[in-house]
Amino acid sequence: MDQLTAILIEKYSPMWTNKQIWEYEQIHEEIKFDMMYVEPKNKEISWKSKLVYLDSNIRKILGGTFEYLADGYELWVTNSKDNQRKLDELLIPYLMAVIVDTMIDEEICLKFREDSNCLVVSVDSHADVIDCKEFFEEFYHLATGFNYNVNTGVPDDETEAEIYLTRLQEEFDEKMRAKLGNMYLPGNSDPDSINTK
């Protein structure tokens, strides 16, 4: 894994879970950032560039502009509050978790660094399979909702773990069906998969 990324992950570990992100966003509903894409190796950064997104939602910008990251641009992110452009350190683990969660389907290893009061994000084009494994292991709890240092109660044996997790899902499905009836989608189903059956 990229050394600066590893240092930043170590500094802000453990990375936030989806539950922590959700709770934070409930309190800070209108959380916005100033963001801009910078061409690789460009030493001159300007907030007047045409690739600047002021007072914007991080997920929407990443979702709509992923091609810039794929083309090697860096995404610079900072606070939009009062035009101060000074990134609060408390927001860095939030941003890292949200960015990885937004990009997780792409299965692309990212690089993070701090520079000029910004969190700088780019695609790690030199990452190999081992680098990607190391990177995503730091964020695996986004999906599980658990931090790595918390005992989840899931058995170590793979077969027992599968039985345990299936039972938990079934118990959860029963509770939700009792509350929501036909409106509830069991397990990991989506409306399209249910309607095609």
Side-chain angles (χ1 to χ4, degrees):
M1 186 184 347
D2 170 70
Q3 281 308 110
L4 288 176
T5 303
I7 290 166
L8 212 56
I9 286 172
E10 179 67 30
K11 179 178 178 181
Y12 294 108
S13 274
M15 294 290 102
W16 284 23
T17 66
N18 271 336
K19 181 173 185 286
Q20 287 171 299
I21 293 169
W22 181 83
E23 288 170 347
Y24 187 83
E25 289 175 346
Q26 297 311 298
I27 298 165
H28 306 89
E29 288 180 24
E30 290 300 313
I31 188 164
K32 301 283 178 78
F33 297 92
D34 286 348
M35 294 168 265
M36 72 173 154
Y37 282 100
V38 176
E39 287 188 63
K41 299 184 174 81
N42 185 350
K43 300 294 178 213
E44 308 256 335
I45 63 163
S46 168
W47 288 98
K48 296 187 182 344
S49 152
K50 64 179 178 157
L51 296 176
V52 168
Y53 303 89
L54 302 177
D55 200 30
S56 299
N57 178 294
I58 184 76
R59 286 186 181 90
K60 286 182 182 167
I61 296 303
L62 274 174
T65 60
F66 170 71
E67 67 274 6
Y68 289 115
L69 276 178
D71 289 342
Y73 283 71
E74 294 180 331
L75 178 64
W76 291 54
V77 185
T78 192
N79 280 17
S80 65
K81 196 174 180 183
D82 306 324
N83 290 321
Q84 289 179 353
R85 299 222 170 88
K86 181 162 173 42
L87 188 58
D88 183 346
E89 270 204 355
L90 296 172
L91 289 172
I92 292 176
Y94 163 80
L95 280 168
M96 290 170 73
V98 167
I99 291 166
V100 170
D101 188 43
T102 304
M103 304 290 289
I104 215 156
D105 288 342
E106 306 295 335
E107 294 182 357
I108 291 172
C109 196
L110 299 173
K111 295 196 304 191
F112 293 110
R113 74 173 197 278
E114 292 174 280
D115 194 339
S116 306
N117 288 309
C118 294
L119 176 66
V120 182
V121 185
S122 59
V123 170
D124 190 348
S125 55
H126 300 294
D128 58 19
V129 173
I130 293 166
D131 292 326
C132 288
K133 180 179 180 293
E134 286 176 359
F135 178 79
F136 283 107
E137 279 177 353
E138 295 297 333
F139 293 94
Y140 84 96
H141 57 271
L142 282 166
T144 63
F146 295 104
N147 280 321
Y148 68 89
N149 60 351
V150 174
N151 182 0
T152 62
V154 178
D156 290 332
D157 179 75
E158 192 175 326
T159 307
E160 287 178 26
E162 195 171 319
I163 293 167
Y164 174 81
L165 292 170
T166 302
R167 185 175 51 84
L168 280 183
Q169 183 67 56
E170 287 169 355
E171 287 173 5
F172 179 78
D173 286 343
E174 280 178 35
K175 287 180 190 170
M176 294 307 289
R177 261 193 225 96
K179 287 186 178 184
L180 298 174
N182 290 336
M183 292 179 0
Y184 176 64
L185 299 176
N188 294 321
S189 304
D190 59 58
D192 292 335
S193 67
I194 297 259
N195 293 333
T196 57
K197 287 181 181 175

